[in-house]
Amino acid sequence: MTQASSTPDLSICIVAIDAGEVLRDCLNSIRENAPLVTYQVIYVDNGSSDGTRQMLEQDFPEVKTIWNSKNLGFAKANNQAIQTTRSRYVLLLNPDTLVKQGSLDLLMNYLSDHPKTGIIGPKVLNADGSFQAHCKRGEARPWEVFCYFSGLSRLFPHSPKLSGYLQGFLDEDATNNVPAISGSCMLIRREVIDQIGMLDERFFAYQEDTDYCVSARKAGWFVTYLPAAQIVHFGGKGGAGAQPFRQIFVWHQSYFRYYKKQLAQDYFFLFNWFFYALMVIKLAASLTLNLFRKNRHAGPNRG
């Protein structure tokens, strides 16, 4: 890790619970593919009992740590880390990721060269090297959600009208400004944090990344997808899968809160009540279907 006597250029914030093994791999990937600038890693633990503390103390003593006695959620724990920083750039990074060589520098260089871009994210790959489409996405408006969950977006993956949920009409290998990117790897310019604040802690988990991107865009910033920079994201191995039924409820609760905050004002109130009813029906269906899944998960499958 490049050490700095003053404020580092980059702060990497990682939040997890009971994810010691994947966290070790993530931190090693940062070490092996370290950015050229000065940086620090801040880890916030949400109540692990798997030996994470001992592993960090022994193998990564340079990592700054914050230890919570219980699970405070993704947004609040990340805010704990962000509050300790004054760096030019803040990176939110999931523990179940691997950073590829040069990717952090590419992200920061883009922000340096494009002053109107406030948030940027890389191309995210699955463990087998395939594209993880959720790394660039729309605003999850009702029509986008319907097309995604009904399968229309899979039938017409390149249609702007039908593939808005995952922005499937955009070339995965082309740089584009997009409505939102994934919080699995989200680089934020300090000026954005100063202007719109930190993550909304009403989101325990899920949707906080889309919410933050939408808020930044409403404040006049661009959100950019940069495929030249890449990470690997295993998905569901950062603690989120420990209580799948609770996570299903939290995912739907977060979407409801996101919709009310960012989207509801754009629709007639009778439509909103209809859409809320559909959310309840989908929640019940998801809980029921998950009883029969071998691999249980909360939100949309990122595989």
Side-chain angles (χ1 to χ4, degrees):
M1 177 179 294
T2 303
Q3 300 293 334
S5 58
S6 58
T7 302
D9 295 301
L10 171 66
S11 296
I12 303 174
C13 304
I14 303 175
V15 172
I17 177 173
D18 291 332
E21 288 305 312
V22 293
L23 175 62
R24 182 198 302 274
D25 293 338
C26 176
L27 293 174
N28 277 326
S29 78
I30 296 171
R31 270 184 178 173
E32 294 166 4
N33 302 298
L36 298 177
V37 301
T38 57
Y39 75 99
Q40 62 178 345
V41 178
I42 305 166
Y43 171 71
V44 183
D45 189 274
N46 267 338
S48 293
S49 58
D50 66 343
T52 295
R53 183 190 289 263
Q54 292 82 356
M55 181 271 292
L56 289 176
E57 290 175 348
Q58 177 177 332
D59 298 335
F60 301 94
E62 73 276 15
V63 172
K64 296 183 178 182
T65 56
I66 298 172
W67 301 95
N68 296 320
S69 60
K70 62 180 181 179
N71 189 353
L72 299 183
F74 182 83
K76 188 169 185 176
N78 265 301
N79 286 348
Q80 287 180 303
I82 295 170
Q83 284 173 338
T84 70
T85 72
R86 288 309 307 165
S87 53
R88 293 175 60 202
Y89 305 117
V90 173
L91 179 72
L92 307 186
L93 185 66
N94 277 18
D96 54 345
T97 59
L98 300 176
V99 174
K100 292 205 164 189
Q101 179 66 44
S103 291
L104 298 182
D105 290 307
L106 285 170
L107 294 172
M108 286 183 287
N109 289 341
Y110 189 96
L111 288 188
S112 178
D113 294 338
H114 298 80
K116 292 185 178 180
T117 293
I119 301 175
I120 191 168
K123 183 176 185 178
V124 180
L125 305 175
N126 292 305
D128 62 1
S130 60
F131 177 54
Q132 196 168 109
H134 282 78
C135 64
K136 57 176 174 63
R137 59 182 75 159
E139 292 185 343
R141 289 182 174 272
W143 178 247
E144 295 174 343
V145 170
F146 171 77
C147 289
Y148 177 80
F149 285 104
S150 69
L152 283 173
S153 61
R154 288 188 290 277
L155 291 174
F156 304 97
H158 304 300
S159 167
K161 292 183 179 180
L162 301 177
S163 64
Y165 190 89
L166 298 180
Q167 301 287 285
F169 55 91
L170 296 177
D171 184 350
E172 68 181 67
D173 293 316
T175 300
N176 277 289
N177 294 327
V178 293
I181 59 171
S182 169
S184 63
C185 185
M186 176 187 286
L187 184 66
I188 308 169
R189 187 189 297 274
R190 170 62 57 181
E191 291 88 342
V192 174
I193 298 172
D194 292 340
Q195 182 178 0
I196 70 172
M198 297 181 291
L199 301 178
D200 188 335
E201 295 182 6
R202 288 175 292 181
F203 299 98
F204 182 84
Y206 306 111
Q207 307 301 336
E208 71 290 313
D209 46 7
T210 299
D211 172 73
Y212 200 76
C213 289
V214 172
S215 295
R217 286 174 45 244
K218 288 182 177 179
W221 296 97
F222 289 130
V223 175
T224 302
Y225 164 72
L226 183 69
Q230 298 182 3
I231 67 162
V232 176
H233 180 214
F234 296 100
K237 299 183 183 299
Q243 297 175 304
F245 290 100
R246 183 188 179 207
Q247 295 301 322
I248 288 172
F249 175 80
V250 169
W251 188 88
H252 288 80
Q253 179 189 60
S254 293
Y255 180 72
F256 171 76
R257 289 174 174 169
Y258 163 74
Y259 182 87
K260 285 194 68 175
K261 175 183 176 181
Q262 300 285 12
L263 305 179
Q265 65 272 19
D266 296 338
Y267 300 93
F268 187 54
F269 79 95
L270 289 179
F271 174 84
N272 287 335
W273 283 107
F274 169 73
F275 196 56
Y276 297 150
L278 290 181
M279 291 183 203
V280 174
I281 293 171
K282 184 186 174 300
L283 170 60
S286 297
L287 289 170
T288 302
L289 289 173
N290 221 49
L291 289 170
F292 304 100
R293 283 183 179 143
K294 181 178 180 180
N295 296 314
R296 295 170 176 172
H297 57 84
N301 193 339
R302 284 160 168 73

